[in-house]
Amino acid sequence: MSKRSSQSWILGAVLVAGLALAAACQAPSESPQDLASLSSRTYVPVGEWDKYYAFLSGGQSGGVFVYGLPSGRLIRSIPVYEPRAAYGYASVPGTESYERLAATGPMWGDTHHPILSESGGDYDGKSLWINDKANSRIARVDLRTFETKAIVKIPNLQATHGIAVISPDTSYIIANGEFRTEVPSGRVDVTAYSSMMAFLDPMTLEPRFEVLMPGNCDIADSSKDGRWAFTTMYNLEEAVTIEGMIQREEDAIGAIDIRAAEAALERGEFTMINGVKVIDPEKTTERVVYLIPVPKNPHGCDVTPDGKYVMGTGKLSPTVTVIDISKIDQVENLRDAIAGQPDVGLGPLHTTFDGRGNAYTSLFVDSQIVKWDIEKAIAGDPTYIVDRMDVHYNVGHTQATLAETMHPTGEYLLSLNKLSKDQFLPVGPTMPESQELIDISGEKMMMLASFPAEPEPHDAVFMLAKDLIPHVVQTEELAENAVPEDGSRVERVGPNEVHVYMTAIRSKYGLNDFTVKQGDKVTITITNIETIRDMSHGSANENYGINLALDPGQTRTVTFVAEKPGTYWYYCTWFCSALHLEMRGRMMVEASE
Ligand code: K7E
Ligand code: CUA
Ligand code: CA
């Protein structure tokens, strides 16, 4: 395609999308009984639990949304790169979560890709990681408590975008730097720009090494045997404008041979850049990076559950490119590693799997999910398209239950749609994003339900509830600094420094009051000594900007300077009992003369 024709193709695609929206169709012509039976498939009776946890990225909300499926009920949202008063998270200076987030960058983020820890190629229910595209960060959420436990800013990257667990045992977390910069070369010169893939320690998130990559890295995945890290690359032109980035008919899937990279590290074939070992793949004894040609500005990068293929989903090409992973380091010409390249429809973005040999590709421009038979497509059998389902509207990611593991359940698929348009009650010029739940257990897809979400879920991962519930704690383990039942007290530790310790339990704080002096540096430590789940307390100091949230067993601290003299009540912010309103005490600040 010439430059002009590819630009007009994009324009055409946008027009097509617009027409599809204008012709907003209603659900297909099921009878009322059919619709009732479809809706009963998402009905979860009062008191019963959903079968799946769904973790949706929060996009520009900066966190993770947790829904139950199939009901579509929002269970929790986990703040990661954003303050959230409800959970006492990063909202008050002088608290641990605030200081940790502030130390890595701004108090907001743009999260795209939640990923889950694996053992033996299946989810082990320990950790979830999520990127912050806007500030080059990655964070780990502990699934025992659904709380953010680590955040780092990844050195040498801009735009941490695609992230993935290296299967089958979470040997690394990989994170792509989508934008090319001068950091590796140190020269502000477009010809010296480079992009990066970082290989991180899963727990500490410290980079163990990074690999220089040509072009932009986009979405990431890994092979099932720990050998390969994959990324789509849409800018082999190495351009800095949109026109430049769509010049070529082909870009690539980049495959990084992890074993070869580790061998290069052992031979000392790296440079230290900002404290990180960086491998330049052009300077290693063994080949580390392979670029397999994929048309055109590909986006999704998805490995099949059996580990045979990695798929590059076309975006500007109506195709999915199926690459045989076993051939990557065997063929002379990397084109010979391509097993098939089926046409699927307009604007294909992401592909997911049911574990029964079918792939499901999201079509942004066509506003559809297309189901296709992988082996038939590879064999050139023209009947490889199995089904198409209209979605509302303009789907980005799509994800099937447990599709990223070696054992997908092939039960449900979520279509994460960018626009909801007329689907919900209007709330102003902008509308919620929409997720549609599709039953994929049969030959034909069945649309079950749609539920709105805060902006903007990009991707989702699922866990079977039965696999995660045993890991979720009933109460937080008492920390080393926990205040014991009889340990409430005030300690003056210096001429201008006071430590206040108290417990919280229905419906009383361990201290009815305490007194400090104006100008004192005050550290308050509170432990919620409840021993049963769901008995949360809080402590807000009226007009002092202080608010702690305390889950059962949890200890929280805050440090501040008592600048204002007077009486300041602290009160419980969680409605914990009939005497909740009486659960309060006084902080008295004596004026300094
Ligand atoms: Cu397709 Cu950031 Cu995963 Cu959004 S990316 S859709
Ligand atoms: Cu404790 Cu309300
Ligand atoms: Ca390109």
Side-chain angles (χ1 to χ4, degrees):
M1 243 190 287
S2 70
K3 179 176 170 184
R4 163 167 292 181
S5 71
S6 59
Q7 279 168 347
S8 58
W9 187 91
I10 291 184
L11 190 62
V14 170
L15 285 174
V16 170
L19 287 176
L21 289 172
C25 57
Q26 287 304 310
S29 57
E30 270 96 2
S31 72
Q33 289 94 323
D34 291 344
L35 289 174
S37 86
L38 283 179
S39 74
S40 74
R41 287 167 181 251
T42 65
Y43 177 66
V44 177
V46 173
E48 285 186 23
W49 291 345
D50 278 290
K51 184 168 177 184
Y52 291 93
Y53 287 92
F55 298 93
L56 277 62
S57 56
Q60 53 277 62
S61 295
V64 176
F65 304 129
V66 187
Y67 286 84
L69 292 184
S71 73
R73 299 182 291 205
L74 178 67
I75 302 169
R76 170 57 55 98
S77 76
I78 307 170
V80 182
Y81 304 105
E82 49 156 342
R84 192 79 63 88
Y87 304 123
Y89 183 79
S91 47
V92 178
T95 57
E96 196 224 342
S97 55
Y98 181 99
E99 298 303 331
R100 186 182 51 203
L101 179 56
T104 60
M107 310 303 279
W108 59 272
D110 182 16
T111 63
H112 288 216
H113 301 116
I115 56 172
L116 294 168
S117 56
E118 294 177 15
S119 297
D122 290 310
Y123 295 144
D124 59 20
K126 290 182 180 155
S127 298
L128 175 149
W129 293 267
I130 186 99
N131 68 310
D132 168 16
K133 175 165 172 171
N135 304 290
S136 308
R137 292 182 285 196
I138 187 162
R140 185 172 62 81
V141 170
D142 188 336
L143 292 176
R144 288 175 309 171
T145 55
F146 284 50
E147 282 181 326
T148 304
K149 282 290 154 76
I151 303 177
V152 301
K153 186 168 183 80
I154 306 174
N156 307 330
L157 299 189
Q158 257 190 42
T160 304
H161 190 220
I163 66 171
V165 163
I166 297 296
S167 298
D169 293 311
T170 319
S171 45
Y172 296 98
I173 300 301
I174 52 170
N176 289 341
E178 184 182 342
F179 301 158
R180 302 167 63 236
T181 72
E182 76 284 357
V183 172
S185 67
R187 288 185 292 135
V188 184
D189 169 358
V190 65
T191 63
Y193 283 4
S194 189
S195 118
M196 286 273 191
M197 188 188 278
F199 289 71
L200 310 169
D201 180 282
M203 292 307 280
T204 66
L205 301 178
E206 291 305 317
R208 295 205 194 133
F209 65 95
E210 293 175 344
V211 179
L212 288 182
M213 298 293 284
N216 291 57
C217 294
D218 194 9
I219 306 294
D221 204 349
S222 76
S223 63
K224 300 297 186 194
D225 58 0
R227 168 88 189 272
W228 298 98
F230 298 112
T231 176
T232 38
M233 308 168 85
Y234 62 80
N235 185 21
L236 283 197
E237 297 89 343
E238 304 207 316
V240 291
T241 61
I242 184 171
E243 295 82 1
M245 291 178 201
I246 56 175
Q247 286 298 308
R248 292 199 193 170
E249 293 313 306
E250 276 180 343
D251 292 285
I253 276 191
I256 296 172
D257 184 338
I258 298 172
R259 212 168 51 197
E262 289 169 341
L265 291 175
E266 251 168 52
R267 283 192 295 266
E269 294 168 346
F270 60 83
T271 12
M272 292 300 286
I273 302 178
N274 296 316
V276 182
K277 295 170 183 170
V278 178
I279 296 172
D280 180 343
E282 287 182 0
K283 297 181 183 155
T284 53
T285 315
E286 255 182 281
R287 186 168 184 182
V288 172
V289 172
Y290 297 74
L291 299 184
I292 304 125
V294 174
K296 167 176 189 166
N297 291 43
H299 187 52
C301 180
D302 296 285
V303 172
T304 52
D306 59 12
K308 277 193 191 163
Y309 306 112
V310 56
M311 299 194 181
T313 304
K315 196 165 76 187
L316 299 191
S317 161
T319 54
V320 177
T321 301
V322 184
I323 295 158
D324 184 336
I325 295 172
S326 69
K327 289 194 175 158
I328 294 172
D329 62 347
Q330 301 297 318
V331 292
E332 202 120 301
N333 182 343
L334 280 165
R335 271 175 218 287
D336 296 334
I338 297 173
Q341 205 160 65
D343 268 339
V344 290
L346 288 183
L349 287 185
H350 294 278
T351 299
T352 188
F353 310 101
D354 62 11
R356 296 185 295 267
N358 298 300
Y360 299 76
T361 299
S362 58
L363 302 175
F364 179 85
V365 175
D366 280 341
S367 278
Q368 276 184 344
I369 305 293
V370 54
K371 173 181 180 181
W372 52 281
D373 182 309
I374 300 166
E375 291 302 334
K376 276 189 178 175
I378 290 172
D381 180 333
T383 66
Y384 63 92
I385 299 286
V386 181
D387 193 19
R388 289 180 188 276
M389 164 72 67
D390 287 335
V391 294
H392 316 86
Y393 302 92
N394 300 85
V395 52
H397 276 269
T398 185
Q399 195 66 257
T401 41
L402 276 59
E404 308 241 307
T405 71
M406 280 151 81
H407 301 97
T409 56
E411 194 169 8
Y412 298 111
L413 172 142
L414 209 56
S415 175
L416 292 106
N417 308 323
K418 296 304 183 188
L419 302 174
S420 67
K421 290 278 169 189
D422 52 4
Q423 295 286 297
F424 308 112
L425 290 172
V427 288
T430 181
M431 290 292 291
E433 277 50 57
S434 100
Q435 319 335 304
E436 287 178 307
L437 183 70
I438 296 170
D439 183 328
I440 55 165
S441 60
E443 173 88 351
K444 289 258 171 215
M445 291 180 273
M446 271 188 298
M447 179 68 75
L448 299 183
S450 130
F451 61 93
E454 293 273 299
E456 168 187 333
H458 283 253
D459 197 4
V461 281
F462 312 100
M463 271 202 76
L464 276 165
K466 71 172 176 59
D467 293 342
L468 182 48
I469 288 164
H471 297 273
V472 182
V473 296
Q474 167 111 351
T475 62
E476 184 108 357
E477 281 166 48
L478 286 177
E480 264 178 34
N481 65 338
V483 182
E485 201 174 343
D486 59 354
S488 297
R489 66 202 188 275
V490 181
E491 282 175 7
R492 180 159 288 278
V493 295
N496 294 104
E497 196 168 350
V498 179
H499 289 177
V500 178
Y501 301 91
M502 64 175 118
T503 54
I505 190 166
R506 279 161 292 167
S507 293
K508 202 167 162 58
Y509 293 108
L511 295 174
N512 286 324
D513 55 63
F514 63 89
T515 304
V516 298
K517 288 188 295 204
Q518 188 179 11
D520 276 343
K521 185 177 162 198
V522 180
T523 300
I524 300 176
T525 303
I526 310 181
T527 299
N528 176 342
I529 57 171
E530 301 279 357
T531 54
I532 53 165
R533 174 174 275 161
D534 207 17
M535 290 318 312
S536 298
H537 299 284
S539 180
N541 275 56
E542 191 75 27
N543 293 336
Y544 248 83
I546 290 166
N547 176 36
L548 300 176
L550 301 151
D551 292 346
Q554 219 168 40
T555 300
R556 289 285 182 254
T557 69
V558 59
T559 300
F560 59 98
V561 176
E563 274 158 350
K564 297 180 288 187
T567 299
Y568 299 91
W569 290 91
Y570 45 93
Y571 74 95
C572 180
T573 46
W574 290 71
F575 207 109
C576 51
S577 74
L579 287 170
H580 157 76
L581 291 167
E582 289 79 356
M583 185 169 174
R584 54 196 169 101
R586 287 173 304 148
M587 173 174 82
M588 286 165 290
V589 182
E590 284 176 351
S592 55
E593 301 306 306

